[in-house]
Amino acid sequence: MPTPKKQDWRDRLHEIIYEADTPEGKLFDVILLIAIIASIILVMLESIKHIDQRWHSVLDAGEWIITILFSLEYIARIICVRKPMKYVTSFYGVIDLLSTIPKYLSLIIAGTHALVALRALRLLRVFRILKLARFLGASNYLINALKASRAKILVFLFAVMILAVIFGTIMYLVEGEENGFSNIPKSVYWCIVTLTTVGFGDIAPVTPLGQFIATIIMILGYGIIAVPTGIVASEYTSQTNSSKGQKPNDAALNPMSSVQLNSQSCPNCLADNHKDGAEYCYNCGYKLSND
Amino acid sequence: MPTPKKQDWRDRLHEIIYEADTPEGKLFDVILLIAIIASIILVMLESIKHIDQRWHSVLDAGEWIITILFSLEYIARIICVRKPMKYVTSFYGVIDLLSTIPKYLSLIIAGTHALVALRALRLLRVFRILKLARFLGASNYLINALKASRAKILVFLFAVMILAVIFGTIMYLVEGEENGFSNIPKSVYWCIVTLTTVGFGDIAPVTPLGQFIATIIMILGYGIIAVPTGIVASEYTSQTNSSKGQKPNDAALNPMSSVQLNSQSCPNCLADNHKDGAEYCYNCGYKLSND
Amino acid sequence: MPTPKKQDWRDRLHEIIYEADTPEGKLFDVILLIAIIASIILVMLESIKHIDQRWHSVLDAGEWIITILFSLEYIARIICVRKPMKYVTSFYGVIDLLSTIPKYLSLIIAGTHALVALRALRLLRVFRILKLARFLGASNYLINALKASRAKILVFLFAVMILAVIFGTIMYLVEGEENGFSNIPKSVYWCIVTLTTVGFGDIAPVTPLGQFIATIIMILGYGIIAVPTGIVASEYTSQTNSSKGQKPNDAALNPMSSVQLNSQSCPNCLADNHKDGAEYCYNCGYKLSND
Amino acid sequence: MPTPKKQDWRDRLHEIIYEADTPEGKLFDVILLIAIIASIILVMLESIKHIDQRWHSVLDAGEWIITILFSLEYIARIICVRKPMKYVTSFYGVIDLLSTIPKYLSLIIAGTHALVALRALRLLRVFRILKLARFLGASNYLINALKASRAKILVFLFAVMILAVIFGTIMYLVEGEENGFSNIPKSVYWCIVTLTTVGFGDIAPVTPLGQFIATIIMILGYGIIAVPTGIVASEYTSQTNSSKGQKPNDAALNPMSSVQLNSQSCPNCLADNHKDGAEYCYNCGYKLSND
């Protein structure tokens, strides 16, 4: 970071909101985290009838405070980004909007209030906030292991789905409507409930043949549960091993653990995880402010 | 592939239907895949009462289109294979027939219509189609690991079955008919539901002694679940390791990953997974068409 | 095996019944296996009311044939062993007796007939029969892995039990009798049902606090399930590795896989797994008949 | 241990109560263990109505004996420690008090008797007693593996909680009060029941959309169960391997397995796990009595 540059207030705001390396940036993230959790708790309390009846005005006031705070944050985010449309149409942009609009809509149209609960989706931002702090440190191997085994687990889930459709259809034919297997989708749902060893028991086979097939499904599910576990365990072990036996020139294998990343995100295109000391965004070439 | 040979239309049809290396072959597989999935969705929609009542004629028309397509495919498969009886009596041959016949039968005999759902078994062909494309690439280790641990998992499942019979019998004696354990097979079924940690709750022990024995069964099941997972994880790790440390002369250990296989199947005996450049079928010695 | 010795009929009978190396011994084991499975199926069919009512006389006749066969086998086992009391008081001796007596008793006292189901315990002998054949081959590592992790799994189960008692007591205080947690043992039973992720649902928390504590128990159970799996997987991997890297002088580590054992058991003390070519029983010093 | 020192009776009592290296100390621990287990069984029996009604006076007498024993132990513990307040305010000090007080209170105020069940928390002391004996020997690796993977498992549980809140909120919106998802906390509770594959079935989705989302949650839970297992298995393997390949100068990696610890705890500050031959407490510098 050789020559510090003069920043206008939008760059500064961008740094506070989108990055976590400066004290102000960290403080903003902590406050945002608390606000998100508080908003979730408010929504939860409001959903409990007898609490809502007694404390309705308090909860409603809290809702409005949170909603206005989130609205201000949303506006600030739009102002300080170079390409606002990119943020507005991004995943987090849509969620941020969805977590404020229902409350305003509830003034005009009754019944949309329940959608306030969609605010829970903002919790996903917690991953983003934490990712930049201890998340990367603690679970780097884990994420790599999951990425490495993603294709295999997808193939595996695909096989489970096919099994569920086939056995679900067979159970529908065997048990029939009178025993709760009222149509094939419901029967497939039951089959997944069984294969995953959840077993609600809202639907359960009644005929001896149905119970026999259920036994086969359960034992299959029992054997199948071993597969993703084995894959993840194995990939995780190899991730750990490869990093332990890592020589300097093996760094390319595990770039995240050997290269220092910082939490700033490009003011232009919102790409993050820039390398420390990077002068330009790796994604759009926009000049980054390193000071 | 030194000298290309002239093919008659049956050889060409065989190549399209049974192989996936030519563009036409791939296109055929994709269309077949879509048709199978469409037929499953049709059967599912039909099984939902209120949808069937409103859209019966549309769904029925769709059924007939699918049935006729599958019939044509079935006939084409018989025509272009040298030994049609081999296909007709093969596993996929029987399923292909079973997925068309019930619809025709429903014209003559009422009530057989439900068997259309057997068409779901055609989904198994998806494994065959995908096996030849990305399946082999993504989950080669997985299949080898499962094959390597097959014997052990079978021995293990066998032990689970014996435990289930013994504990099922004991629970039948302890709980008796009045608590839902109305006969030994049902009691064994309950025991497998418990050992696999599915736990529907349609039957549950009521007496203190029964609940105590159930506790033992659950803890056993809990400990037992570790075994197949451990086996698969371990085999999978050793599969991955052995291929990483693989030298050229170790190829014999993992033939599938070091030898190029293609998707063509012998027009005579339907054996597939021929080596690239193979001139004769490894199974029946029939001359393969390499062009 | 230098000089074959003359055997009297008791030694011969002993070889047939207790060993599996001669053709006659194998045949005896196969017949015994079939008889045991047939007896289990008979007991199962008898426990199903409507089958028992229609086929009572046939099933009863079958029962008597099986009972007499087992009685003859029991007598033969006593005759051909040098120390009959050792067999009679052994685990298998008691089971063999228990599987015949109830049928005879049912002639004198009514109601003891249900105990015939105890015959299912004879299935345990299957382990003994199979152990000598393919069991040793296929699951040697598995048994060693389980033995190696036995102490750890016991400590682990002990910890699970303490957790269950503590959380069970807390749930009893929180939920109380009116919600099904009618006493502490039942509450502990519910706690184990939850910790093992079986979840019958016959008892379920109703109060918000109870549901919150249940959540903690479930997540604990979820994390805990990882532990025995990890132990077995790890032990199994190290078993496999140690045998792969085994040099000739490492044989002592895995004696079972490098020393040939045979299936004969000492006519005097019933100890089995003698080394091939052993002249005397390793347990009691009795001269073995090697021919 | 060069020069044995004269001990006053308080030091001797301290040695008996807080340590397990002398025969008296071991005997005390065994008696304490038996008393704790007996007290748990008493509380359990008392909670079963029909047993309590018949044997009330016997159980009550037993309760009083246990309570007085525990009170005496509590007083002895206070007397022989240099800083009694430290013990009284410590975790075990509070539990030890809580396990005696309710019984005395029951003389004055009715209804507090149920709190006697809190005595079950004393079972936690079993960990402390056993830790010093075979626990350290058998499950040292296990504890290290759990410690090493603690951060990752916490991050993982955190991710599970966020998923549960998001999906719980969605299910509340989709299913609504009429299907049992009466408020968001209850819906989150259901979501954790499903993600952990417990599946009580006290609440179950009824609408097709709800069942479809439940399917996604179950498959997620199924895939997720692989993660902690993989982590623990991998950490456990690396713990075992690092100790097997351990050279003398690698001792620092596994201090617990290479340094002899003894069971004495400092009479001043109660810190335990002192190294053998340590002259002063590593925590407060108090002179330890090594004789």
Side-chain angles (χ1 to χ4, degrees):
Chain A
M1 286 152 262
T3 50
K5 282 152 232 162
K6 210 181 142 274
Q7 290 184 299
D8 69 348
W9 63 272
R10 279 173 63 190
D11 277 349
R12 237 190 107 54
L13 196 62
H14 181 274
E15 202 171 276
I16 292 170
I17 294 178
Y18 286 95
E19 297 170 30
D21 295 328
T22 58
E24 295 90 353
K26 272 177 193 156
L27 187 69
F28 177 83
D29 280 354
V30 169
I31 292 172
L32 183 59
L33 201 60
I34 292 169
I36 290 173
I37 291 168
S39 77
I40 303 289
I41 291 170
L42 268 181
V43 170
M44 282 189 170
L45 291 177
E46 230 171 323
S47 77
I48 305 171
K49 272 246 167 80
H50 66 98
I51 290 180
D52 188 43
Q53 277 163 354
R54 187 176 292 185
W55 305 94
H56 185 75
S57 51
V58 177
L59 293 172
D60 199 52
E63 280 274 358
W64 275 112
I65 293 167
I66 294 278
T67 304
I68 288 162
L69 276 178
F70 282 180
S71 306
L72 291 176
E73 185 216 342
Y74 185 68
I75 292 163
R77 279 185 188 271
I78 288 176
I79 288 172
C80 71
V81 165
R82 303 264 151 171
K83 297 187 178 167
M85 282 316 293
K86 190 135 193 176
Y87 165 68
V88 170
T89 56
S90 73
F91 178 65
Y92 286 112
V94 172
I95 288 175
D96 289 355
L97 188 65
L98 280 179
S99 66
T100 55
I101 282 193
K103 193 69 189 167
Y104 296 117
L105 276 181
S106 69
L107 289 178
I108 313 166
I109 316 157
T112 60
H113 178 74
L115 294 171
V116 167
L118 283 175
R119 194 168 287 168
L121 288 172
R122 285 212 85 185
L123 266 181
L124 286 173
R125 193 175 275 279
V126 174
F127 283 113
R128 198 182 167 91
I129 294 172
L130 290 182
K131 186 184 66 182
L132 306 170
R134 92 191 59 134
F135 215 94
L136 264 179
S139 62
N140 206 10
Y141 293 145
L142 183 53
I143 288 168
N144 285 354
L146 283 177
K147 268 187 196 159
S149 47
R150 194 176 40 186
K152 284 155 211 161
I153 285 181
L154 276 179
V155 165
F156 171 74
L157 286 182
F158 185 70
V160 168
M161 289 306 297
I162 290 178
L163 278 179
V165 170
I166 291 172
F167 277 108
T169 308
I170 292 171
M171 286 304 280
Y172 168 72
L173 293 178
V174 168
E175 289 281 328
E177 272 173 66
E178 63 277 16
N179 296 329
F181 293 76
S182 48
N183 52 55
I184 294 179
K186 201 165 199 172
S187 196
V188 171
Y189 155 76
W190 172 85
C191 205
I192 289 171
V193 167
T194 306
L195 269 176
T196 54
T197 75
V198 172
F200 284 129
D202 52 343
I203 315 166
V206 177
T207 62
L209 182 56
Q211 292 182 339
F212 179 72
I213 297 170
T215 302
I216 294 170
I217 296 172
M218 281 180 275
I219 287 176
L220 257 176
Y222 200 65
I224 281 173
I225 217 169
V227 177
T229 310
I231 295 173
V232 173
S234 171
E235 291 290 342
Y236 186 78
T237 309
S238 74
Q239 288 288 334
T240 322
N241 287 350
S242 75
S243 92
K244 272 180 187 161
Q246 213 173 18
K247 281 158 224 144
N249 55 349
D250 284 350
L253 288 168
N254 261 7
M256 283 181 125
S257 60
S258 53
V259 170
Q260 289 296 81
L261 300 174
N262 59 33
S263 70
Q264 79 176 13
S265 65
C266 171
N268 190 34
C269 72
L270 296 175
D272 56 4
N273 279 333
H274 293 284
K275 277 201 290 186
D276 248 3
E279 292 279 323
Y280 296 94
C281 172
Y282 65 82
N283 190 33
C284 67
Y286 186 82
K287 187 96 179 68
L288 300 173
S289 55
N290 291 308
D291 56 328
Chain B
M1 287 154 259
T3 49
K5 282 154 229 160
K6 208 179 145 281
Q7 289 183 299
D8 69 347
W9 63 272
R10 277 173 65 190
D11 277 348
R12 238 188 106 57
L13 195 62
H14 181 274
E15 201 170 277
I16 292 170
I17 294 178
Y18 286 95
E19 297 169 30
D21 296 328
T22 56
E24 295 90 352
K26 271 177 195 156
L27 186 69
F28 178 83
D29 279 354
V30 169
I31 292 171
L32 183 59
L33 200 59
I34 292 168
I36 290 173
I37 291 169
S39 78
I40 303 289
I41 291 170
L42 269 180
V43 170
M44 282 189 171
L45 291 177
E46 230 171 325
S47 77
I48 306 171
K49 271 245 168 81
H50 65 97
I51 290 180
D52 188 43
Q53 276 164 352
R54 186 177 292 184
W55 305 95
H56 185 74
S57 51
V58 178
L59 293 172
D60 199 53
E63 281 275 0
W64 275 113
I65 293 168
I66 294 279
T67 304
I68 288 163
L69 276 178
F70 282 180
S71 306
L72 290 177
E73 185 216 342
Y74 185 70
I75 292 163
R77 279 184 188 271
I78 289 177
I79 288 173
C80 71
V81 166
R82 303 263 152 171
K83 297 186 178 168
M85 282 318 291
K86 191 137 194 175
Y87 164 69
V88 170
T89 56
S90 74
F91 179 64
Y92 286 112
V94 172
I95 288 175
D96 289 353
L97 188 64
L98 280 179
S99 65
T100 55
I101 282 193
K103 192 70 190 167
Y104 296 118
L105 276 182
S106 70
L107 289 177
I108 312 166
I109 315 158
T112 60
H113 179 73
L115 294 170
V116 167
L118 283 175
R119 194 169 287 170
L121 287 171
R122 285 212 85 184
L123 266 181
L124 286 173
R125 192 175 276 279
V126 174
F127 283 113
R128 197 184 168 90
I129 294 171
L130 290 181
K131 186 184 66 182
L132 306 170
R134 91 192 59 136
F135 214 96
L136 264 179
S139 62
N140 206 9
Y141 293 145
L142 183 53
I143 288 168
N144 284 354
L146 284 177
K147 268 185 195 158
S149 47
R150 193 175 41 185
K152 284 154 210 161
I153 286 180
L154 276 179
V155 165
F156 172 74
L157 287 181
F158 185 69
V160 168
M161 290 305 299
I162 290 179
L163 277 179
V165 170
I166 290 172
F167 277 108
T169 308
I170 292 171
M171 287 303 281
Y172 168 72
L173 293 179
V174 168
E175 289 281 328
E177 271 173 67
E178 63 277 16
N179 296 329
F181 294 75
S182 48
N183 52 53
I184 294 179
K186 201 166 200 172
S187 197
V188 170
Y189 156 76
W190 172 84
C191 206
I192 289 171
V193 167
T194 306
L195 269 176
T196 54
T197 77
V198 172
F200 285 129
D202 51 344
I203 315 167
V206 177
T207 61
L209 182 57
Q211 292 181 340
F212 178 72
I213 296 170
T215 301
I216 294 169
I217 296 173
M218 280 180 274
I219 287 176
L220 257 176
Y222 200 64
I224 281 174
I225 217 169
V227 177
T229 309
I231 295 172
V232 173
S234 170
E235 290 291 344
Y236 186 76
T237 308
S238 75
Q239 288 287 335
T240 322
N241 287 350
S242 77
S243 91
K244 273 180 188 163
Q246 212 174 17
K247 280 160 224 143
N249 55 348
D250 284 352
L253 288 168
N254 261 4
M256 282 180 126
S257 60
S258 53
V259 169
Q260 290 295 80
L261 300 173
N262 58 33
S263 70
Q264 80 176 13
S265 65
C266 172
N268 191 36
C269 73
L270 294 176
D272 54 6
N273 281 333
H274 293 283
K275 277 202 290 184
D276 249 4
E279 292 279 323
Y280 296 94
C281 172
Y282 65 82
N283 190 32
C284 67
Y286 187 81
K287 187 97 178 69
L288 300 173
S289 54
N290 290 309
D291 55 328
Chain C
M1 285 155 264
T3 49
K5 282 155 232 160
K6 212 181 143 278
Q7 291 184 296
D8 69 348
W9 63 272
R10 275 173 66 188
D11 278 347
R12 234 188 109 56
L13 196 60
H14 181 274
E15 201 171 277
I16 292 170
I17 294 179
Y18 287 95
E19 297 169 31
D21 296 328
T22 56
E24 295 89 353
K26 272 176 194 156
L27 186 69
F28 177 83
D29 280 354
V30 168
I31 291 171
L32 183 59
L33 201 60
I34 292 168
I36 291 174
I37 291 168
S39 78
I40 303 289
I41 291 170
L42 268 181
V43 170
M44 283 189 170
L45 291 177
E46 227 171 326
S47 77
I48 306 172
K49 272 245 167 84
H50 66 97
I51 290 179
D52 188 43
Q53 276 163 353
R54 187 177 292 184
W55 304 94
H56 185 74
S57 53
V58 178
L59 293 173
D60 199 54
E63 281 275 358
W64 274 113
I65 292 167
I66 294 280
T67 305
I68 288 163
L69 276 178
F70 282 179
S71 307
L72 291 177
E73 184 216 343
Y74 184 70
I75 293 163
R77 278 184 189 273
I78 289 177
I79 288 173
C80 71
V81 166
R82 303 265 151 171
K83 298 185 179 169
M85 280 318 291
K86 191 138 192 173
Y87 164 70
V88 170
T89 57
S90 74
F91 178 65
Y92 286 113
V94 172
I95 288 176
D96 289 355
L97 188 64
L98 279 180
S99 66
T100 54
I101 282 194
K103 193 68 190 168
Y104 296 118
L105 276 182
S106 69
L107 289 178
I108 312 166
I109 316 158
T112 60
H113 179 73
L115 294 171
V116 166
L118 283 174
R119 195 170 285 171
L121 288 171
R122 285 213 87 185
L123 266 181
L124 287 173
R125 192 175 275 279
V126 175
F127 284 113
R128 198 184 167 91
I129 293 172
L130 290 182
K131 187 183 64 182
L132 306 170
R134 91 193 60 137
F135 216 97
L136 263 179
S139 62
N140 207 11
Y141 294 145
L142 182 54
I143 288 167
N144 285 354
L146 283 177
K147 267 186 197 160
S149 46
R150 193 175 41 184
K152 284 154 210 161
I153 286 181
L154 275 179
V155 165
F156 171 74
L157 286 182
F158 185 69
V160 168
M161 289 307 296
I162 290 179
L163 278 179
V165 170
I166 291 172
F167 277 108
T169 308
I170 292 171
M171 287 303 281
Y172 168 72
L173 293 178
V174 167
E175 290 280 329
E177 271 172 66
E178 62 277 17
N179 296 328
F181 293 76
S182 48
N183 53 55
I184 294 180
K186 201 167 199 171
S187 196
V188 170
Y189 155 75
W190 172 85
C191 206
I192 289 171
V193 167
T194 306
L195 270 176
T196 53
T197 77
V198 171
F200 283 130
D202 52 343
I203 315 167
V206 177
T207 62
L209 182 58
Q211 291 181 340
F212 179 73
I213 297 170
T215 301
I216 294 169
I217 297 172
M218 280 180 275
I219 287 176
L220 259 176
Y222 200 63
I224 281 173
I225 217 171
V227 177
T229 309
I231 295 171
V232 173
S234 170
E235 291 290 344
Y236 186 77
T237 308
S238 75
Q239 288 288 333
T240 321
N241 287 350
S242 77
S243 92
K244 272 181 187 161
Q246 213 174 14
K247 280 160 224 142
N249 53 349
D250 285 352
L253 289 168
N254 261 5
M256 281 180 126
S257 60
S258 54
V259 170
Q260 290 295 82
L261 300 173
N262 58 33
S263 70
Q264 80 176 12
S265 65
C266 171
N268 190 35
C269 72
L270 294 176
D272 55 6
N273 280 333
H274 293 283
K275 279 202 289 186
D276 248 4
E279 292 278 323
Y280 296 93
C281 172
Y282 65 81
N283 191 32
C284 67
Y286 187 82
K287 187 96 178 70
L288 299 173
S289 56
N290 291 309
D291 55 327
Chain D
M1 287 154 261
T3 49
K5 283 153 232 162
K6 210 183 144 273
Q7 290 184 297
D8 68 348
W9 62 272
R10 277 174 64 189
D11 278 348
R12 235 190 109 53
L13 196 62
H14 181 275
E15 202 172 276
I16 291 170
I17 293 179
Y18 287 94
E19 297 169 30
D21 296 328
T22 56
E24 294 90 353
K26 271 178 194 154
L27 187 67
F28 177 83
D29 280 354
V30 169
I31 291 171
L32 183 60
L33 200 61
I34 291 169
I36 291 174
I37 290 169
S39 78
I40 303 288
I41 291 170
L42 268 181
V43 170
M44 282 190 169
L45 291 178
E46 229 171 323
S47 77
I48 306 171
K49 273 245 168 82
H50 66 97
I51 290 179
D52 187 43
Q53 276 164 352
R54 186 176 294 185
W55 305 94
H56 185 74
S57 51
V58 177
L59 292 174
D60 199 53
E63 281 274 358
W64 276 112
I65 293 167
I66 294 279
T67 304
I68 288 162
L69 275 178
F70 282 180
S71 307
L72 291 176
E73 184 216 342
Y74 185 70
I75 293 163
R77 279 183 189 272
I78 288 175
I79 289 173
C80 71
V81 166
R82 302 265 151 171
K83 298 185 177 169
M85 280 318 290
K86 190 136 194 175
Y87 164 69
V88 170
T89 57
S90 74
F91 178 66
Y92 286 113
V94 172
I95 288 176
D96 289 354
L97 188 65
L98 280 179
S99 67
T100 55
I101 283 193
K103 193 69 189 169
Y104 296 117
L105 276 182
S106 69
L107 289 178
I108 313 167
I109 316 158
T112 60
H113 178 74
L115 294 170
V116 166
L118 284 174
R119 194 168 286 169
L121 288 171
R122 286 212 85 184
L123 266 181
L124 287 173
R125 192 175 277 279
V126 175
F127 284 112
R128 198 183 166 91
I129 293 171
L130 290 182
K131 186 184 64 182
L132 306 170
R134 90 192 60 135
F135 216 95
L136 264 180
S139 62
N140 207 10
Y141 294 145
L142 183 53
I143 288 168
N144 285 354
L146 283 177
K147 268 186 196 159
S149 48
R150 193 175 40 183
K152 283 155 213 161
I153 285 180
L154 275 180
V155 165
F156 171 74
L157 286 182
F158 185 69
V160 168
M161 289 306 297
I162 290 179
L163 277 179
V165 170
I166 291 172
F167 276 109
T169 309
I170 292 172
M171 287 303 280
Y172 168 71
L173 294 178
V174 168
E175 289 281 328
E177 273 172 67
E178 64 276 16
N179 297 328
F181 293 76
S182 49
N183 53 54
I184 294 179
K186 201 166 198 171
S187 196
V188 171
Y189 156 75
W190 172 85
C191 206
I192 290 171
V193 167
T194 307
L195 269 175
T196 53
T197 76
V198 171
F200 284 129
D202 51 343
I203 315 167
V206 176
T207 63
L209 182 57
Q211 292 182 339
F212 178 73
I213 297 169
T215 301
I216 294 169
I217 296 172
M218 280 180 276
I219 287 176
L220 258 176
Y222 200 65
I224 281 173
I225 218 170
V227 177
T229 310
I231 295 171
V232 173
S234 171
E235 291 291 342
Y236 186 77
T237 308
S238 74
Q239 288 289 334
T240 322
N241 287 350
S242 76
S243 92
K244 272 181 188 160
Q246 214 174 16
K247 281 159 225 143
N249 54 348
D250 284 349
L253 289 168
N254 261 6
M256 282 180 126
S257 59
S258 53
V259 171
Q260 289 295 80
L261 301 173
N262 60 32
S263 70
Q264 80 177 12
S265 64
C266 172
N268 191 36
C269 72
L270 294 175
D272 55 5
N273 280 334
H274 293 284
K275 279 202 288 187
D276 248 3
E279 292 279 323
Y280 296 94
C281 172
Y282 64 83
N283 190 33
C284 67
Y286 186 83
K287 186 96 180 69
L288 300 173
S289 56
N290 292 309
D291 57 327

